[in-house]
Coordinates of all heavy atoms in Angstrom, one line a residue:
M1 N 0.8 -1.2 0.0 CA 0.0 0.0 0.0 C 0.9 1.2 0.0 O 0.5 2.2 -0.5 CB -0.9 0.0 1.2 CG -1.9 1.0 1.3 SD -3.2 0.8 0.0 CE -4.3 2.0 0.5
G2 N 2.1 1.2 0.6 CA 2.9 2.4 0.7 C 3.4 2.8 -0.7 O 3.6 4.0 -0.9
W3 N 3.6 1.9 -1.6 CA 4.1 2.4 -2.9 C 3.0 3.1 -3.7 O 3.3 4.0 -4.5 CB 4.7 1.2 -3.7 CG 3.6 0.1 -4.1 CD1 3.3 -0.9 -3.3 CD2 2.9 0.0 -5.3 NE1 2.4 -1.7 -3.9 CE2 2.1 -1.1 -5.2 CE3 2.9 0.8 -6.4 CZ2 1.2 -1.5 -6.2 CZ3 2.0 0.3 -7.5 CH2 1.2 -0.8 -7.3
I4 N 1.7 2.7 -3.5 CA 0.7 3.5 -4.1 C 0.6 4.9 -3.6 O 0.4 5.9 -4.4 CB -0.7 2.8 -3.9 CG1 -0.7 1.4 -4.6 CG2 -1.9 3.6 -4.4 CD1 -1.9 0.5 -4.3
I5 N 0.7 5.1 -2.3 CA 0.7 6.4 -1.8 C 2.0 7.2 -2.3 O 1.8 8.4 -2.5 CB 0.7 6.3 -0.2 CG1 -0.6 5.7 0.2 CG2 0.8 7.7 0.4 CD1 -0.7 5.4 1.7
A6 N 3.1 6.5 -2.4 CA 4.3 7.1 -2.9 C 4.1 7.7 -4.2 O 4.5 8.7 -4.6 CB 5.5 6.2 -2.8
L7 N 3.4 6.9 -5.1 CA 3.1 7.3 -6.5 C 2.2 8.5 -6.5 O 2.4 9.5 -7.3 CB 2.6 6.2 -7.3 CG 3.5 5.0 -7.6 CD1 2.7 3.9 -8.3 CD2 4.7 5.4 -8.4
I8 N 1.2 8.5 -5.7 CA 0.3 9.6 -5.7 C 0.9 10.9 -5.1 O 0.9 12.0 -5.7 CB -1.0 9.3 -4.8 CG1 -1.8 8.1 -5.5 CG2 -1.9 10.5 -4.6 CD1 -2.8 7.5 -4.6
V9 N 1.6 10.8 -4.0 CA 2.3 11.9 -3.4 C 3.3 12.4 -4.3 O 3.6 13.7 -4.5 CB 2.8 11.6 -2.0 CG1 3.7 12.7 -1.4 CG2 1.7 11.3 -1.1
G10 N 4.1 11.5 -4.9 CA 5.2 11.9 -5.9 C 4.6 12.6 -7.1 O 5.2 13.6 -7.6
G11 N 3.5 12.1 -7.6 CA 2.9 12.8 -8.7 C 2.4 14.1 -8.4 O 2.6 15.1 -9.2
V12 N 1.8 14.3 -7.2 CA 1.4 15.7 -6.8 C 2.6 16.6 -6.6 O 2.6 17.7 -7.1 CB 0.5 15.6 -5.5 CG1 0.2 17.0 -5.0 CG2 -0.8 14.8 -5.7
A13 N 3.6 16.1 -5.9 CA 4.8 17.0 -5.8 C 5.5 17.3 -7.1 O 5.9 18.5 -7.3 CB 5.8 16.3 -4.8
G14 N 5.5 16.3 -8.0 CA 6.1 16.6 -9.3 C 5.3 17.5 -10.1 O 5.9 18.4 -10.8
W15 N 4.0 17.4 -10.0 CA 3.1 18.4 -10.8 C 3.3 19.8 -10.2 O 3.3 20.7 -11.0 CB 1.7 17.8 -10.7 CG 0.7 18.8 -11.2 CD1 0.5 19.0 -12.6 CD2 -0.3 19.6 -10.6 NE1 -0.5 19.9 -12.8 CE2 -1.0 20.3 -11.6 CE3 -0.5 19.8 -9.3 CZ2 -2.0 21.3 -11.2 CZ3 -1.5 20.7 -8.9 CH2 -2.2 21.4 -9.9
L16 N 3.2 19.9 -8.9 CA 3.4 21.3 -8.3 C 4.7 21.9 -8.7 O 4.8 23.1 -9.0 CB 3.2 21.2 -6.8 CG 1.8 21.0 -6.3 CD1 1.9 20.7 -4.8 CD2 0.9 22.1 -6.6
A17 N 5.8 21.0 -8.6 CA 7.1 21.6 -9.0 C 7.2 22.0 -10.5 O 7.8 23.0 -10.9 CB 8.1 20.6 -8.7
S18 N 6.5 21.2 -11.4 CA 6.5 21.6 -12.8 C 5.7 22.8 -13.0 O 6.0 23.6 -14.0 CB 5.9 20.4 -13.7 OG 4.6 20.2 -13.4
K19 N 4.7 23.1 -12.3 CA 3.9 24.3 -12.4 C 4.8 25.5 -12.0 O 4.8 26.5 -12.6 CB 2.7 24.3 -11.5 CG 1.6 23.4 -12.1 CD 0.9 24.1 -13.3 CE -0.3 23.4 -13.6 NZ -0.9 24.0 -14.9
V20 N 5.6 25.3 -10.9 CA 6.4 26.4 -10.3 C 7.5 26.7 -11.3 O 7.9 27.9 -11.6 CB 6.9 26.1 -8.9 CG1 8.0 27.0 -8.5 CG2 5.8 26.1 -8.0
M21 N 8.1 25.7 -11.9 CA 9.3 25.8 -12.8 C 8.9 26.0 -14.2 O 9.7 26.0 -15.1 CB 10.2 24.7 -12.6 CG 10.7 24.5 -11.2 SD 11.8 25.8 -10.6 CE 13.2 25.6 -11.7
N22 N 7.6 26.2 -14.6 CA 7.1 26.4 -15.9 C 7.5 25.3 -16.8 O 7.9 25.5 -18.1 CB 7.5 27.7 -16.5 CG 6.9 28.9 -15.8 OD1 5.8 28.8 -15.4 ND2 7.6 30.0 -15.7
R23 N 7.4 24.0 -16.4 CA 7.8 22.8 -17.2 C 6.5 22.0 -17.5 O 6.7 20.9 -17.9 CB 8.9 22.0 -16.5 CG 10.1 22.7 -16.3 CD 11.2 22.5 -17.0 NE 11.3 21.1 -17.6 CZ 12.2 20.8 -18.5 NH1 13.0 21.7 -18.9 NH2 12.2 19.5 -19.0
D24 N 5.4 22.4 -17.1 CA 4.2 21.6 -17.1 C 3.9 21.1 -18.5 O 3.4 20.0 -18.7 CB 3.0 22.3 -16.4 CG 1.9 21.3 -16.1 OD1 2.2 20.2 -15.6 OD2 0.7 21.7 -16.4
A25 N 4.0 22.0 -19.5 CA 3.7 21.6 -20.9 C 4.6 20.6 -21.4 O 4.1 19.8 -22.3 CB 3.8 22.9 -21.7
S26 N 5.8 20.4 -21.0 CA 6.7 19.4 -21.5 C 6.7 18.1 -20.7 O 7.4 17.2 -21.0 CB 8.1 20.0 -21.5 OG 8.6 20.2 -20.2
M27 N 5.9 18.0 -19.7 CA 5.9 16.8 -18.8 C 4.5 16.2 -18.8 O 3.5 16.9 -18.7 CB 6.3 17.2 -17.3 CG 7.7 17.7 -17.2 SD 8.2 18.3 -15.6 CE 7.9 16.8 -14.6
G28 N 4.5 14.9 -18.7 CA 3.2 14.2 -18.6 C 3.1 13.6 -17.1 O 4.0 13.9 -16.3
I29 N 2.1 12.8 -16.9 CA 1.9 12.3 -15.6 C 3.1 11.3 -15.1 O 3.5 11.3 -14.0 CB 0.5 11.6 -15.5 CG1 0.3 11.1 -14.1 CG2 0.5 10.4 -16.4 CD1 0.0 12.2 -13.1
F30 N 3.6 10.6 -16.1 CA 4.7 9.7 -15.8 C 5.8 10.5 -15.3 O 6.5 10.1 -14.2 CB 5.1 8.8 -16.9 CG 6.3 7.9 -16.7 CD1 6.2 6.8 -16.0 CD2 7.5 8.3 -17.3 CE1 7.3 6.0 -15.7 CE2 8.6 7.5 -17.0 CZ 8.6 6.4 -16.3
W31 N 6.3 11.5 -16.0 CA 7.5 12.3 -15.5 C 7.2 13.1 -14.3 O 8.1 13.3 -13.5 CB 8.0 13.1 -16.7 CG 8.6 12.3 -17.7 CD1 8.1 12.1 -19.0 CD2 9.8 11.6 -17.6 NE1 9.0 11.2 -19.6 CE2 10.0 10.9 -18.8 CE3 10.7 11.3 -16.5 CZ2 11.1 10.0 -19.0 CZ3 11.8 10.5 -16.8 CH2 12.0 9.8 -18.0
N32 N 5.9 13.5 -14.1 CA 5.7 14.2 -12.8 C 5.8 13.2 -11.6 O 6.4 13.6 -10.6 CB 4.2 14.6 -12.8 CG 3.9 15.9 -13.6 OD1 4.9 16.7 -13.8 ND2 2.8 16.1 -14.1
I33 N 5.5 11.9 -11.8 CA 5.7 10.9 -10.7 C 7.1 10.7 -10.5 O 7.6 10.7 -9.3 CB 4.9 9.7 -11.1 CG1 3.4 9.9 -11.0 CG2 5.3 8.5 -10.1 CD1 2.6 8.8 -11.5
V34 N 7.9 10.6 -11.6 CA 9.3 10.3 -11.5 C 10.0 11.5 -10.8 O 10.8 11.3 -9.8 CB 9.9 10.0 -12.9 CG1 11.5 10.0 -12.8 CG2 9.4 8.7 -13.5
V35 N 9.7 12.7 -11.3 CA 10.3 13.9 -10.7 C 10.0 14.0 -9.2 O 10.8 14.3 -8.4 CB 9.9 15.2 -11.5 CG1 10.3 16.4 -10.7 CG2 10.6 15.1 -12.8
G36 N 8.7 13.7 -8.8 CA 8.3 13.8 -7.5 C 9.0 12.8 -6.5 O 9.4 13.1 -5.5
C37 N 9.1 11.6 -7.0 CA 9.8 10.5 -6.3 C 11.2 10.7 -6.1 O 11.8 10.6 -5.0 CB 9.5 9.1 -6.9 SG 7.7 8.6 -6.7
V38 N 11.9 11.1 -7.2 CA 13.3 11.4 -7.1 C 13.5 12.7 -6.3 O 14.5 12.8 -5.5 CB 14.0 11.6 -8.5 CG1 15.4 12.1 -8.5 CG2 13.9 10.3 -9.3
G39 N 12.6 13.6 -6.5 CA 12.7 14.9 -5.6 C 12.6 14.6 -4.1 O 13.2 15.3 -3.4
S40 N 11.8 13.6 -3.8 CA 11.7 13.2 -2.4 C 13.1 12.7 -1.8 O 13.5 13.0 -0.8 CB 10.7 12.1 -2.2 OG 10.7 11.6 -0.9
L41 N 13.8 12.0 -2.7 CA 15.1 11.5 -2.3 C 16.1 12.7 -2.2 O 16.8 12.7 -1.1 CB 15.7 10.5 -3.3 CG 14.9 9.2 -3.5 CD1 15.4 8.4 -4.6 CD2 14.9 8.4 -2.2
I42 N 16.0 13.6 -3.1 CA 16.9 14.8 -3.0 C 16.5 15.6 -1.9 O 17.4 16.1 -1.1 CB 16.8 15.6 -4.4 CG1 17.4 14.8 -5.5 CG2 17.5 16.9 -4.2 CD1 17.2 15.3 -6.9
G43 N 15.2 15.8 -1.7 CA 14.8 16.7 -0.6 C 15.2 16.1 0.8 O 15.6 16.9 1.7
N44 N 15.1 14.8 1.0 CA 15.5 14.2 2.2 C 17.0 14.3 2.4 O 17.5 14.4 3.5 CB 15.1 12.7 2.3 CG 13.6 12.6 2.7 OD1 13.2 13.2 3.8 ND2 12.8 11.9 2.1
A45 N 17.8 14.2 1.3 CA 19.2 14.3 1.4 C 19.7 15.7 1.8 O 20.7 15.9 2.5 CB 19.9 13.9 0.0
V46 N 18.9 16.7 1.4 CA 19.2 18.1 1.6 C 18.7 18.5 3.0 O 19.4 19.1 3.8 CB 18.7 19.0 0.5 CG1 18.9 20.5 1.0 CG2 19.4 18.8 -0.8
A47 N 17.4 18.2 3.3 CA 16.8 18.7 4.5 C 17.2 17.9 5.8 O 17.2 18.5 6.8 CB 15.2 18.5 4.4
G48 N 17.6 16.6 5.5 CA 18.0 15.8 6.7 C 19.2 16.4 7.4 O 19.1 16.7 8.6
P49 N 20.3 16.5 6.7 CA 21.5 17.0 7.5 C 21.4 18.5 7.8 O 21.9 19.0 8.8 CB 22.6 16.8 6.4 CG 22.1 15.8 5.4 CD 20.6 16.0 5.4
L50 N 20.8 19.3 6.9 CA 20.7 20.7 7.2 C 19.7 21.1 8.2 O 20.0 22.0 9.1 CB 20.4 21.5 5.8 CG 21.4 21.4 4.8 CD1 21.0 22.2 3.5 CD2 22.8 22.1 5.3
L51 N 18.5 20.6 8.2 CA 17.4 21.0 9.1 C 17.0 19.9 10.2 O 16.3 20.3 11.0 CB 16.2 21.3 8.3 CG 16.4 22.4 7.2 CD1 15.1 22.5 6.4 CD2 16.7 23.7 7.8
G52 N 17.6 18.7 9.9 CA 17.3 17.7 10.9 C 15.9 17.2 10.8 O 15.3 16.5 11.7
I53 N 15.2 17.3 9.6 CA 13.9 16.8 9.4 C 13.9 15.8 8.2 O 14.8 15.9 7.3 CB 12.8 17.9 9.2 CG1 13.2 18.8 8.0 CG2 12.6 18.8 10.4 CD1 12.1 19.7 7.5
S54 N 13.0 14.9 8.2 CA 12.8 14.0 7.1 C 11.4 13.7 6.9 O 10.6 13.8 7.9 CB 13.6 12.7 7.3 OG 13.2 12.1 8.4
G55 N 11.0 13.3 5.7 CA 9.6 12.9 5.4 C 9.6 11.9 4.4 O 10.4 11.9 3.5
S56 N 8.7 11.0 4.5 CA 8.6 9.9 3.5 C 7.3 10.1 2.7 O 6.3 10.5 3.2 CB 8.5 8.6 4.3 OG 8.2 7.5 3.3
V57 N 7.4 9.8 1.4 CA 6.2 9.8 0.5 C 5.5 8.5 0.6 O 4.4 8.4 0.1 CB 6.6 10.1 -0.9 CG1 7.1 11.5 -1.0 CG2 7.5 9.1 -1.5
Q58 N 6.0 7.5 1.3 CA 5.3 6.2 1.5 C 4.1 6.3 2.5 O 3.3 5.5 2.4 CB 6.2 5.1 1.9 CG 7.2 4.8 0.8 CD 8.0 3.6 1.1 OE1 8.1 3.3 2.2 NE2 8.6 3.0 0.1
E59 N 4.1 7.3 3.3 CA 3.0 7.5 4.2 C 2.7 9.0 4.1 O 3.5 9.9 4.3 CB 3.4 7.1 5.7 CG 4.7 7.7 6.1 CD 5.1 7.1 7.5 OE1 5.0 5.9 7.7 OE2 5.5 7.9 8.3
F60 N 1.5 9.3 3.8 CA 1.1 10.6 3.5 C 1.3 11.6 4.8 O 0.7 11.3 5.8 CB -0.3 10.8 3.0 CG -0.6 12.2 2.6 CD1 -0.1 12.8 1.5 CD2 -1.5 12.9 3.5 CE1 -0.4 14.1 1.1 CE2 -1.7 14.3 3.2 CZ -1.2 14.8 2.0
S61 N 2.1 12.6 4.5 CA 2.2 13.6 5.6 C 2.5 14.9 4.9 O 3.1 14.9 3.8 CB 3.3 13.3 6.6 OG 4.6 13.3 6.0
L62 N 2.2 16.0 5.5 CA 2.5 17.3 4.9 C 4.0 17.6 4.8 O 4.5 18.1 3.8 CB 1.8 18.4 5.7 CG 1.8 19.8 5.1 CD1 1.2 19.9 3.7 CD2 1.1 20.8 6.0
T63 N 4.7 17.1 5.8 CA 6.2 17.2 5.8 C 6.8 16.5 4.6 O 7.7 17.0 3.9 CB 6.8 16.7 7.1 OG1 6.2 17.4 8.2 CG2 8.3 17.0 7.1
G64 N 6.4 15.3 4.4 CA 6.8 14.5 3.2 C 6.5 15.1 1.9 O 7.3 15.1 1.0
L65 N 5.3 15.7 1.7 CA 4.9 16.4 0.5 C 5.8 17.6 0.3 O 6.3 17.9 -0.8 CB 3.5 16.8 0.6 CG 2.9 17.5 -0.7 CD1 3.0 16.6 -1.9 CD2 1.5 17.9 -0.4
I66 N 6.0 18.4 1.3 CA 6.8 19.6 1.2 C 8.3 19.3 0.8 O 8.8 19.9 0.0 CB 6.7 20.5 2.5 CG1 5.3 21.1 2.6 CG2 7.7 21.5 2.5 CD1 5.0 21.7 3.9
I67 N 8.8 18.3 1.5 CA 10.2 17.8 1.2 C 10.3 17.4 -0.2 O 11.2 17.7 -0.9 CB 10.7 16.8 2.2 CG1 10.9 17.5 3.6 CG2 11.9 16.1 1.8 CD1 11.3 16.6 4.7
A68 N 9.3 16.5 -0.6 CA 9.3 16.1 -2.0 C 9.2 17.2 -3.0 O 9.9 17.2 -4.0 CB 8.2 15.1 -2.3
F69 N 8.4 18.2 -2.7 CA 8.2 19.3 -3.6 C 9.5 20.1 -3.7 O 9.9 20.5 -4.8 CB 7.0 20.2 -3.0 CG 6.9 21.6 -3.7 CD1 6.5 21.7 -5.0 CD2 7.4 22.8 -3.0 CE1 6.4 23.0 -5.6 CE2 7.3 24.0 -3.6 CZ 6.8 24.0 -5.0
V70 N 10.1 20.5 -2.6 CA 11.4 21.2 -2.6 C 12.5 20.4 -3.4 O 13.2 21.0 -4.2 CB 11.9 21.5 -1.2 CG1 13.3 22.1 -1.2 CG2 10.9 22.5 -0.5
G71 N 12.5 19.2 -3.1 CA 13.5 18.3 -3.9 C 13.2 18.3 -5.4 O 14.1 18.3 -6.2
A72 N 11.9 18.2 -5.8 CA 11.5 18.2 -7.2 C 11.8 19.6 -7.8 O 12.3 19.6 -9.0 CB 10.0 17.8 -7.3
V73 N 11.7 20.6 -7.1 CA 12.1 22.0 -7.7 C 13.6 22.0 -7.9 O 14.0 22.5 -8.9 CB 11.6 23.1 -6.7 CG1 12.2 24.4 -7.1 CG2 10.1 23.2 -6.7
I74 N 14.4 21.5 -6.9 CA 15.8 21.5 -7.1 C 16.2 20.6 -8.3 O 17.1 21.0 -9.2 CB 16.5 20.9 -5.8 CG1 16.3 21.9 -4.7 CG2 18.0 20.6 -6.1 CD1 16.7 21.4 -3.3
L75 N 15.5 19.4 -8.5 CA 15.8 18.6 -9.6 C 15.5 19.3 -10.9 O 16.3 19.2 -11.9 CB 15.1 17.3 -9.5 CG 15.1 16.3 -10.6 CD1 16.6 15.8 -10.8 CD2 14.2 15.1 -10.5
L76 N 14.3 19.9 -11.0 CA 14.0 20.6 -12.2 C 14.8 21.8 -12.5 O 15.1 22.1 -13.7 CB 12.5 21.1 -12.2 CG 11.5 19.9 -12.3 CD1 10.1 20.5 -12.2 CD2 11.6 19.2 -13.6
A77 N 15.3 22.5 -11.5 CA 16.3 23.6 -11.7 C 17.6 23.0 -12.3 O 18.2 23.6 -13.3 CB 16.6 24.3 -10.4
I78 N 18.0 21.8 -11.9 CA 19.3 21.3 -12.4 C 19.0 20.9 -13.9 O 19.9 21.1 -14.7 CB 19.7 20.1 -11.5 CG1 20.2 20.6 -10.2 CG2 20.8 19.3 -12.2 CD1 20.4 19.5 -9.2
V79 N 17.9 20.3 -14.1 CA 17.6 19.8 -15.5 C 17.5 21.1 -16.4 O 18.0 21.0 -17.5 CB 16.2 19.1 -15.5 CG1 15.7 18.9 -17.0 CG2 16.4 17.8 -14.8
N80 N 16.9 22.2 -15.9 CA 16.8 23.4 -16.7 C 18.2 23.9 -17.1 O 18.5 24.3 -18.2 CB 16.0 24.5 -16.1 CG 14.5 24.2 -16.1 OD1 14.0 23.5 -16.9 ND2 13.8 24.9 -15.2
M81 N 19.1 23.9 -16.1 CA 20.5 24.4 -16.4 C 21.2 23.6 -17.4 O 21.9 24.0 -18.2 CB 21.3 24.4 -15.0 CG 20.8 25.5 -14.1 SD 21.8 25.8 -12.6 CE 22.7 24.4 -12.4
V82 N 21.0 22.2 -17.2 CA 21.7 21.3 -18.2 C 21.1 21.4 -19.6 O 21.9 21.5 -20.5 CB 21.6 19.8 -17.7 CG1 22.0 18.8 -18.7 CG2 22.3 19.6 -16.4
Q83 N 19.8 21.6 -19.7 CA 19.3 21.8 -21.1 C 19.7 23.0 -21.7 O 19.8 23.1 -22.9 CB 17.7 21.6 -20.9 CG 17.3 20.2 -20.8 CD 15.8 20.1 -20.8 OE1 15.0 21.0 -20.6 NE2 15.3 18.8 -21.0
R84 N 19.7 24.1 -20.9 CA 20.1 25.4 -21.5 C 21.6 25.3 -22.0 O 21.9 25.9 -23.0 CB 20.0 26.5 -20.5 CG 18.6 26.9 -20.3 CD 18.5 28.2 -19.5 NE 17.1 28.5 -19.0 CZ 16.8 28.8 -17.9 NH1 17.6 29.0 -16.9 NH2 15.5 29.0 -17.6
R85 N 22.4 24.6 -21.2 CA 23.8 24.6 -21.7 C 23.9 23.7 -22.9 O 24.7 24.0 -23.7 CB 24.6 23.8 -20.5 CG 26.1 23.8 -20.8 CD 26.9 23.4 -19.7 NE 26.8 24.4 -18.6 CZ 27.0 24.2 -17.3 NH1 27.3 22.9 -17.0 NH2 26.9 25.1 -16.4
N86 N 23.1 22.7 -23.1 CA 23.2 21.9 -24.3 C 22.7 22.6 -25.5 O 23.0 22.3 -26.7 CB 22.4 20.5 -24.1 CG 23.2 19.6 -23.2 OD1 24.4 19.7 -23.0 ND2 22.5 18.6 -22.6
I87 N 21.8 23.5 -25.4 CA 21.1 24.2 -26.5 C 22.1 25.2 -27.0 O 22.2 25.4 -28.3 CB 19.8 24.9 -26.0 CG1 18.7 23.8 -25.8 CG2 19.3 25.8 -27.1 CD1 17.5 24.4 -25.2
R88 N 22.8 25.8 -26.3 CA 23.8 26.9 -26.8 C 25.0 26.3 -27.3 O 25.6 25.4 -27.3 CB 24.1 27.8 -25.6 CG 23.0 28.6 -25.2 CD 23.4 29.5 -24.0 NE 22.1 30.2 -23.6 CZ 22.1 31.0 -22.5 NH1 23.2 31.2 -21.9 NH2 21.0 31.6 -22.2

């Protein structure tokens, strides 16, 4: 049951991050889920040592959603920087 919740929370976090980073038109539901789940890993890696908090997307919590969202925004910012460098 935890992986279903992880997919839902990851999808929501990825979708919110894609809206904030203006990437929603280029991403579908699959990539929103991937970005949200990977963003959760990145968010926990950053927030854990710096702030001493962690959140899991496997059990729904507001902390887990916020950490996944912040991590997804970081991931999309990195992807934007790499794509801009390849275009030029």
Side-chain angles (χ1 to χ4, degrees):
M1 186 71 170
W3 64 275
I4 294 173
I5 295 171
L7 291 176
I8 293 169
V9 173
V12 170
W15 175 72
L16 289 172
S18 70
K19 286 288 194 184
V20 168
M21 299 298 289
N22 292 326
R23 304 252 331 168
D24 194 43
S26 65
M27 296 175 57
I29 185 70
F30 174 76
W31 287 112
N32 283 336
I33 293 171
V34 170
V35 167
C37 290
V38 173
S40 176
L41 296 173
I42 293 170
N44 278 313
V46 170
L50 292 179
L51 304 174
I53 57 173
S54 65
S56 173
V57 293
Q58 289 185 343
E59 51 192 41
F60 181 75
S61 68
L62 189 57
T63 305
L65 180 64
I66 291 170
I67 288 175
F69 169 73
V70 171
V73 168
I74 292 170
L75 177 64
L76 288 177
I78 292 169
V79 168
N80 284 342
M81 288 187 340
V82 168
Q83 284 183 344
R84 282 191 192 136
R85 185 171 295 157
N86 287 340
I87 291 173
R88 292 180 184 175

